[in-house]
Amino acid sequence: MAPGLRSELHCVLICCIVTVNSLTLTYPFYNKFTLFIDDKPLLDHNIGDPVVAVGRSQINYTEDQGNFIISEDVYEKIELSTCDIDESGMPDLFKATCYSVDYFPEVSVDFAVEEKADSELFRKTAIVNITVVGRDRLWFRLASNSTEKIYGAGEQFTYLNLKGHEFPMWIREQGVGRNLSSPLTEIVETGSPGAGGDYHTTYYPAPIFLSTWNYVILGKQERYSILNFTSSTRKEIYVHDKQLMLNVGTATNLMELVGAINREMSVIPPTLPEWIYNGAIVAVQGGTQNMLDKLQQCLDNGVNVSAIWIQDWAGKIETPFGYRVFWNWRWNEELYPGLDSVIFDLAQQGIQVAAYINPHLNVEGDLFVEADNLGYLLKNDKGETYRQDFGGFLAGTLDFSNPLAKQWYAELIKKNIIGFGFKGFMADFGEYTPVDAVATNSPDPYQFHNLLPVLWASTVRLALEQTDTLSSVLPWARSGFTGAQSFHSMMWAGDQNVDWSMSDGLPSSIVAALSLGLSGFGLSHSDIGGYTTLNGILTRSEELLLRWAEYSVFTPLMRTHEGNKPELNHQIYSTNETLKSFARLSAIYTSLTPYHKEVVSQVATFGIPAMSPLFLHHAEDIDSFDIQYQYLYGSDLLVAPVLHPSKTNQEVYLPPGRWMHLWDNDQKVFEGPVSVNVDATMVVCFG
C-alpha cells in the first residue's frame, strides 16, 4: 500500500468487516454500496454519485497527416442511480443491474465482477464485465480519493501522475509543441489545425493504469475511449461501446504490481543483440560515400560505433517538412552503390548497418503497384485503394487484417532488410489510419484504427521469428496500443522537438519512458538531440545534443538522429570537439555493458522497467511519488538529466539509501532521503 494512503484506508477497513483475498461488499443503505477486492476499494456507488452512466453522442474525427481533431457532442447522459444487487455469488461473484427509473427497462446496465483463481503473477485477479442495453456510450466509475495517485495510460509525455487529467485512448501523431498555451504550438496550429498536439496526444496510448492502492486496471476496449482522472472520488472510463471488460490485478506492493503487469503483457527476449553494446548507433544519410566518410570521422575521433543507421537506404524525396525517405522498401542502388558489400565489410569490423521501414508504400514505387494489384492495401468506402496524404506525397497502407497481406509484408522484411544484412531497423508509423478506411477482416474502422500498430508490430515479430533472428536483429518502434507489448523488442519516444521544452523536448522523453515502463513495456529510448526541426524556430544546439547524449548513456540503447532538417542542426560530427565529447559518452555506455545486460535481464525475467520512477524502488518514500524527471536505471544508478541550458549545478533528490555522485572525485556519500546540489558542468572535450 502506498505511503500516505495507509491511515485513511486503515480507517475504512476497520469500519467495515473485510474478508481478505475475496470480494467484499459493504451495503449500509439501499442504493449505496462499496465493493472491495483484496482489501482495496474498487467500486463505490451512491444515488448522488453513481457508479455508471450511459448516453448518446455525435462524434467527428478529422484527420490530417496523422493528426486527429476529435469533436464530440454528448447530447444525452443518463445517470443510473438505482442498482439492484445480486449477492448470491459472493464472495467470488458480484452482480448488479443499474438503471434510471425514468428510462427503465429500455435503458440499463448489467455488470459483474468475478474473482478468478489464483494468478501466478498477481496476488488476486478479477474480471469486470459491463453490458449496456439501449445506448452506445458508457461511463464506468471506479473508486478513488484525493490522495490516490495513478500512473500508466501507455506512453505519456507530460504527466507521470495522471491524477487531475483525462487521456483519450486514440493513436495519433504526438504533435509539435504539445502545449496549447505555448507560442510554438499556437504557430503550428495556425498553419495546420491539430498538428500542434496537446498534453495527452501520443503515439502509444493504452487503456491500462495502476493505482497507489496497489491494483491495476487492464482495459480491453479498442474503440475510442477516455480515461478521466479529474475527479477526486472517481476513476472514470468512458467508452464508445455497448460492452466493456476490465481485468483487475492486485499485488502486495507497487514493484510486484509493475513486474506482474510487464510479465503479463510483454514477451521480451532475455537478451538483446550483442552488437548494440559496442557503442552508439549513429545516424547518417546521403549515400554510401557520405555514410563511410562520417563513420571514419567518428572512428578517427574515438567514437564507439555499434552501427550506422541509414534511414534513406531506399531513397529519399524532398517535401516541405524536409527530406523524407522514399517509401519503397528495397535497396536504392543509385544512392547507395555497393551497399551490400559495405554491409559485409563493416560487419567484419564489428560495425553493423541499420535501416528504416514503415507499414506504408509510396504510390510512386513499384512495391505499391505490386501490393495494389494483390489487393493488400486498405480501401476507401468506394472500394478503391486508399491513397493517403503523408505530407507532400501519397501512400497506401498495408491491410494487416488480411493474413496474406501480413505474410507478404513479412516476406518483404525478411528479404529486403534481414536477408540483405541489416542488423536493426526503425519500424516507424502506424498512427495514421483514418476512420473511413476499410480493412478486409475488420468491419469496425473505429476499432481498426487503434489495432493497426498492434498488427504492424506482430508483422515485424513474425519476420524475426521466421528468420530466427530475434537475438541478432533489433527493430525499434514508436506506435502501439494494448497488445503491442507482446511483439515489440524496443520502443523509442518518437519525434521530440530539438529543444528543452517540458512538453515536447528533452524532458518529455523521460516521462515517456517512465510511463511506458508502468504500462506493460520496459525497454525504450529516444532520439539523441530530438527530431523535429523548423526553419527559424527550432534548431538543435551543441549543448542540447550533448546533454541528451549524457542521459542516453543510461538507457538501454544509445542512438542519434540527424532530424528532419539535418543541415540546420548541430550533429555529433559537426566539429571535432563535439565528436570528442560524444566519444567520451559512447565509451561510458560501452563500459556499462555488464550492467546494461543485467538491466535487460531484469526486464525480461521480473518485469522491472529498465528506466523506473524513484517510487517504484522506494515506495516507502512519499516524496518520490511526484518526481518525474529523475529515474533509476536498474536498481543502482539514479539518473537526473540536465533539463535546461547553461546549467553548471543541479539539485537532485536522493531517496532513502546511501548515494555517491558518480562524477565526484571526493566520493562523498549522501544519506537519503535528501536533496543535494551537485556540479553539473558539461564536460566538453577538445582535440
Side-chain angles (χ1 to χ4, degrees):
M1 200 169 291
L5 298 178
R6 288 190 177 119
S7 60
E8 182 173 346
L9 284 184
H10 185 59
C11 175
V12 172
L13 298 182
I14 288 176
C15 296
C16 308
I17 300 175
V18 173
T19 304
V20 177
N21 297 340
S22 65
L23 295 177
T24 306
L25 178 68
T26 65
Y27 193 22
F29 307 106
Y30 178 67
N31 268 339
K32 179 177 175 59
F33 66 84
T34 302
L35 182 70
F36 294 81
I37 179 171
D38 203 6
D39 292 359
K40 296 152 179 87
L42 185 65
L43 304 176
D44 185 15
H45 172 84
N46 62 75
I47 293 176
D49 196 2
V51 74
V52 65
V54 297
R56 292 180 287 194
S57 76
Q58 183 68 40
I59 191 165
N60 181 67
Y61 303 85
T62 302
E63 185 272 337
D64 181 28
Q65 299 174 37
N67 301 296
F68 285 81
I69 297 176
I70 302 175
S71 304
E72 183 172 18
D73 174 25
V74 178
Y75 59 85
E76 180 190 57
K77 188 174 184 180
I78 307 168
E79 299 290 345
L80 306 186
S81 57
T82 301
C83 288
D84 295 338
I85 294 174
D86 179 359
E87 301 180 63
S88 62
M90 292 292 288
D92 301 314
L93 176 64
F94 171 83
K95 298 171 69 176
T97 297
C98 297
Y99 53 92
S100 167
V101 293
D102 295 332
Y103 293 86
F104 190 75
E106 289 81 10
V107 178
S108 65
V109 168
D110 295 320
F111 70 89
V113 183
E114 183 176 9
E115 187 168 335
K116 307 306 289 184
D118 289 346
S119 166
E120 294 182 3
L121 298 176
F122 295 99
R123 176 178 161 92
K124 298 298 297 182
T125 60
I127 295 178
V128 183
N129 278 298
I130 305 108
T131 302
V132 180
V133 176
R135 293 293 185 268
D136 60 1
R137 301 291 187 262
L138 168 69
W139 291 262
F140 192 72
R141 295 142 182 168
L142 304 166
S144 184
N145 70 13
S146 60
T147 60
E148 182 189 24
K149 298 180 188 298
I150 303 163
Y151 303 94
E155 187 177 44
Q156 297 296 329
F157 294 87
T158 302
Y159 299 109
L160 184 60
N161 178 9
L162 310 177
K163 190 74 169 180
H165 308 280
E166 63 178 30
F167 301 87
M169 296 291 102
W170 189 258
I171 297 163
R172 62 184 107 181
E173 281 277 4
Q174 70 162 12
V176 179
R178 301 185 65 260
N179 182 350
L180 293 177
S181 63
S182 74
L184 172 62
T185 304
E186 290 178 3
I187 292 171
V188 174
E189 284 286 311
T190 300
S192 180
D198 203 351
Y199 73 88
H200 55 74
T201 49
T202 174
Y203 311 104
Y204 198 150
I208 168 178
F209 57 91
L210 61 92
S211 162
T212 45
W213 289 354
N214 291 342
Y215 66 64
V216 63
I217 303 296
L218 301 163
K220 296 298 183 180
Q221 68 269 30
E222 294 168 340
R223 304 179 98 231
Y224 179 75
S225 65
I226 298 176
L227 305 181
N228 188 339
F229 307 120
T230 58
S231 169
S232 62
T233 62
R234 290 286 184 263
K235 301 184 286 283
E236 182 181 81
I237 304 170
Y238 171 52
V239 295
H240 280 209
D241 212 333
K242 293 184 176 182
Q243 292 185 319
L244 174 64
M245 185 171 76
L246 307 173
N247 286 353
V248 186
T250 75
T252 304
N253 55 56
L254 289 174
M255 178 65 84
E256 291 182 7
L257 184 65
V258 172
I261 295 168
N262 288 342
R263 283 183 289 162
E264 172 94 354
M265 304 191 74
S266 301
V267 185
I268 293 176
T271 59
L272 294 178
E274 283 286 331
W275 62 262
I276 71 169
Y277 304 117
N278 293 337
I281 299 176
V282 175
V284 297
Q285 301 178 73
T288 304
Q289 193 57 54
N290 189 59
M291 160 192 170
L292 293 174
D293 289 346
K294 292 294 191 296
L295 172 60
Q296 193 60 51
Q297 191 179 354
C298 289
L299 297 177
D300 288 347
N301 283 275
V303 177
N304 289 11
V305 179
S306 62
I308 289 292
W309 174 44
I310 49 170
Q311 67 170 6
D312 62 344
W313 68 285
K316 62 182 180 180
I317 59 176
E318 188 173 1
T319 74
F321 191 64
Y323 284 103
R324 302 282 298 275
V325 179
F326 181 45
W327 296 357
N328 192 60
W329 313 121
R330 63 170 82 253
W331 169 30
N332 187 304
E333 297 185 52
E334 182 178 350
L335 184 60
Y336 281 94
L339 181 60
D340 50 349
S341 299
V342 169
I343 289 176
F344 177 82
D345 293 342
L346 290 178
Q348 302 307 301
Q349 303 173 45
I351 299 172
Q352 309 303 326
V353 181
Y356 173 98
I357 190 173
N358 63 48
H360 313 290
L361 295 169
N362 191 308
V363 297
E364 301 297 328
D366 65 290
L367 289 175
F368 172 89
V369 175
E370 181 179 346
D372 192 20
N373 290 335
L374 291 168
Y376 288 166
L377 301 171
L378 293 179
K379 309 293 185 184
N380 60 25
D381 54 8
K382 297 178 182 178
E384 304 164 336
T385 296
Y386 208 122
R387 289 167 167 82
Q388 190 174 359
D389 181 8
F390 279 85
F393 62 95
L394 300 178
T397 300
L398 261 290
D399 180 4
F400 293 117
S401 75
N402 180 348
L404 295 177
K406 181 175 182 177
Q407 184 60 55
W408 180 82
Y409 218 60
E411 293 294 336
L412 186 150
I413 295 172
K414 289 159 59 177
K415 177 183 177 182
N416 292 358
I417 293 184
I418 299 173
F420 191 71
F422 292 116
K423 291 300 182 182
F425 57 94
M426 176 181 280
D428 203 359
F429 281 85
E431 310 89 357
Y432 282 51
T433 311
V435 295
D436 59 344
V438 178
T440 302
N441 294 314
S442 183
D444 186 346
Y446 301 97
Q447 179 188 54
F448 187 73
H449 170 83
N450 281 339
L451 281 182
L452 188 129
V454 181
L455 296 172
W456 169 220
S458 69
T459 304
V460 171
R461 184 76 169 221
L462 180 66
L464 295 175
E465 290 175 343
Q466 290 181 348
T467 53
D468 194 25
T469 53
L470 270 172
S471 61
S472 59
V473 175
L474 182 70
W476 56 93
R478 80 173 185 183
S479 69
F481 195 72
T482 303
Q485 299 97 324
S486 297
F487 306 110
H488 287 312
S489 298
M490 175 71 69
M491 298 302 300
W492 107 94
D495 300 345
Q496 277 72 58
N497 290 345
V498 290
D499 69 6
W500 306 86
S501 65
M502 307 305 284
S503 58
D504 198 13
L506 184 157
S508 69
S509 68
I510 301 167
V511 181
L514 301 186
S515 63
L516 192 60
L518 300 176
S519 302
F521 195 83
L523 288 176
S524 64
H525 71 295
S526 62
D527 293 335
I528 293 176
Y531 170 81
T532 301
T533 311
L534 299 175
N535 285 359
I537 301 175
L538 283 175
T539 57
R540 181 198 293 157
S541 68
E542 178 186 30
E543 183 183 8
L544 176 74
L545 178 67
L546 291 177
R547 287 300 196 190
W548 211 312
E550 280 180 349
Y551 112 72
S552 296
V553 167
F554 306 100
T555 67
L557 193 67
M558 190 177 186
R559 179 183 58 80
T560 69
H561 201 310
E562 293 180 309
N564 59 298
K565 292 181 180 291
E567 69 280 3
L568 298 180
N569 288 326
H570 196 93
Q571 308 292 349
I572 65 165
Y573 51 75
S574 292
T575 68
N576 285 345
E577 289 76 17
T578 305
L579 273 172
K580 293 289 186 185
S581 299
F582 189 80
R584 169 181 171 270
L585 297 172
S586 69
I588 297 172
Y589 174 83
T590 302
S591 71
L592 287 170
T593 294
Y595 192 82
H596 290 308
K597 290 182 176 180
E598 179 60 25
V599 168
V600 172
S601 176
Q602 293 284 312
V603 176
T605 306
F606 301 109
I608 302 171
M611 301 165 66
S612 301
L614 306 190
F615 68 77
L616 198 60
H617 294 261
H618 299 277
E620 76 286 358
D621 180 25
I622 190 170
D623 290 333
S624 69
F625 279 80
D626 291 319
I627 294 176
Q628 64 177 35
Y629 297 115
Q630 296 180 196
Y631 64 91
L632 282 161
Y633 183 56
S635 58
D636 297 320
L637 291 176
L638 188 152
V639 185
V642 174
L643 307 178
H644 306 284
S646 305
K647 294 277 287 185
T648 57
N649 58 75
Q650 178 153 313
E651 185 174 288
V652 178
Y653 178 78
L654 303 176
R658 304 178 77 240
W659 302 94
M660 183 176 67
H661 188 205
L662 191 60
W663 314 125
D664 180 10
N665 292 330
D666 296 335
Q667 297 187 343
K668 180 180 178 180
V669 175
F670 298 94
E671 290 283 350
V674 65
S675 291
V676 298
N677 198 281
V678 300
D679 178 40
T681 304
M682 189 171 72
V683 176
V684 179
C685 300
F686 297 94

